[in-house]
Amino acid sequence: MEDHADSRDLIGAFLRQKGANVISAADGFEGLEAVKTHHPDLVLSDLVMPRRDGFELLNDIRSLDSSGGGSVPVIAMTALLRYPDGQPSRDTGFETHLAKPFSPKQLLDAILYVVRR
């Protein structure tokens, strides 16, 4: 979930190039529907989005049962927090976070960290 279309398109294109199946959403409402419909292996979510922010989205996802996508790992993306180890995000329920701007390598490292846990 990323509210900026250019960023969403860039991240999606990069991940598709790496072989990922990407479903994009512009806000937390679209993101929740995508989780319910597609049951992804991982969610990347901006924290600051219109209508429904990343924290609200995470709470909505966690309210789903496991078979409905409620246990999907979620990585927060934000320009607001700068914690190199991702700990504050884990304390709030995110698996880790990416501080914007982040490099393609940082994105892949975060994804690999989460999927290998």
Side-chain angles (χ1 to χ4, degrees):
M1 283 30 90
E2 168 66 55
D3 58 322
H4 293 99
D6 291 343
S7 296
R8 191 171 56 245
D9 293 345
L10 186 63
I11 292 168
F14 173 74
L15 293 175
R16 284 183 190 94
Q17 182 184 39
K18 297 297 181 186
N21 180 17
V22 177
I23 298 133
S24 296
D27 62 40
F29 287 115
E30 287 181 20
L32 182 61
E33 287 308 309
V35 169
K36 289 178 180 178
T37 303
H38 300 286
H39 306 284
D41 295 323
L42 176 74
V43 170
L44 296 170
S45 177
D46 194 357
L47 291 183
V48 179
M49 297 182 288
R51 299 190 329 142
R52 198 107 181 114
D53 70 26
F55 294 103
E56 293 168 317
L57 172 63
L58 180 66
N59 287 334
D60 291 342
I61 290 171
R62 295 295 177 249
S63 71
L64 302 171
D65 61 33
S66 291
S67 64
S71 60
V72 64
V74 181
I75 297 175
M77 302 181 297
T78 184
L80 301 178
L81 302 172
R82 294 205 174 268
Y83 299 102
D85 67 355
Q87 186 62 44
S89 294
R90 282 196 299 274
D91 289 345
T92 61
F94 292 98
E95 299 300 315
T96 191
H97 88 281
L98 287 164
K100 293 179 182 180
F102 51 83
S103 70
K105 181 184 182 323
Q106 289 171 311
L107 175 60
L108 287 179
D109 287 349
I111 292 170
L112 291 174
Y113 166 77
V114 169
V115 299
R116 289 181 177 164
R117 288 179 73 188

